[in-house]
Amino acid sequence: MDFFVADLHLAHPKLAAMRGFDTVAAHDSAVMASLYRLDPDTDTLWVLGDICAGGVGSMHLALEQLATLRVPLHLVTGNHDPIHPMYRGGQKRFADYALVFASVQQMARTKIGGTSVLLSHFPYHGVPDRYSRKQFDQYQLPDLGGWLIHGHTHSDQRRSGERSICVGLEAWDLRPASADELAEEMSK
């Protein structure tokens, strides 16, 4: 079973506090606990960006934690990931990420419930988002009528548009969403 999650923000004090945790360690433990429940024999995890706070130190701490997972991992990079192409020299971080993730890309495609979907950290271009910045425009996909699974918004709402679903931790009770759950959401 494929699972999808975004905005882990491991080793990120500000997000830990915003999510109601007293310490970064408590936050990271809660986030990782839901990921440890995945079955390494049958499950795959797609992380749709923002594994850390954005700095190289935070990146290393997040990668150390994610390396303890036994499920195959794929990353679609987000704006807090030092490997994202918005950062000059981001490609220099590829070797660090390749030790943990089976694939690293800016966007991806897969199928959920027989339907082709795009995977991106960002919502579709033009979707209202309290974290929108002009600098992100060039990395947001245009809505050409297909489904998009994304993160970035930190909204507790799963749907961000007619054909887009947010898999950020806030929308899924601090856990990843399964492909079956997303297929059900897409059928509504």
Side-chain angles (χ1 to χ4, degrees):
M1 171 75 64
D2 284 343
F3 286 82
F4 302 83
V5 69
D7 304 300
L8 300 176
H9 288 283
L10 299 168
H12 193 163
K14 181 179 178 183
L15 256 292
M18 286 175 61
R19 289 177 176 158
F21 291 90
D22 293 332
T23 66
V24 171
H27 169 266
D28 290 3
S29 179
V31 170
M32 292 300 295
S34 70
L35 304 180
Y36 285 128
R37 291 186 192 102
L38 301 179
D39 186 339
D41 294 326
T42 58
D43 297 337
T44 297
L45 180 63
W46 284 89
V47 180
L48 305 187
D50 287 2
I51 66 165
C52 63
V56 174
S58 173
M59 174 197 79
H60 285 298
L61 291 170
L63 288 171
E64 281 178 25
Q65 292 181 72
L66 292 169
T68 65
L69 295 173
R70 297 183 313 142
V71 296
L73 300 167
H74 299 277
L75 177 68
V76 173
T77 60
N79 59 292
H80 281 270
D81 297 315
I83 194 172
H84 192 279
M86 71 188 300
Y87 298 106
R88 186 176 39 254
Q91 74 280 1
K92 295 175 186 173
R93 305 285 172 220
F94 183 79
D96 296 319
Y97 283 82
L99 292 173
V100 177
F101 290 95
S103 69
V104 178
Q105 56 264 310
Q106 187 177 343
M107 57 88 55
R109 287 182 57 181
T110 192
K111 284 193 172 185
I112 293 177
T115 300
S116 182
V117 299
L118 296 171
L119 306 175
S120 176
H121 174 65
F122 300 102
Y124 275 135
H125 188 267
V127 170
D129 168 19
R130 64 184 169 160
Y131 295 105
S132 289
R133 309 274 192 293
K134 283 288 184 200
Q135 70 202 45
F136 300 150
D137 286 356
Q138 64 186 320
Y139 303 108
Q140 290 180 274
L141 298 170
D143 184 350
L144 301 177
W147 278 96
L148 174 69
I149 309 301
H150 69 88
H152 185 67
T153 65
H154 293 275
S155 172
D156 61 359
Q157 300 299 305
R158 293 178 178 178
R159 294 297 282 268
S160 60
E162 185 178 335
R163 289 172 310 280
S164 55
I165 301 171
C166 181
V167 292
L169 287 174
E170 288 81 1
W172 294 87
D173 301 320
L174 290 182
R175 65 174 181 80
S178 71
D180 287 347
E181 290 173 309
L182 293 177
E184 182 180 329
E185 187 70 35
M186 290 164 60
S187 70
K188 295 178 181 178

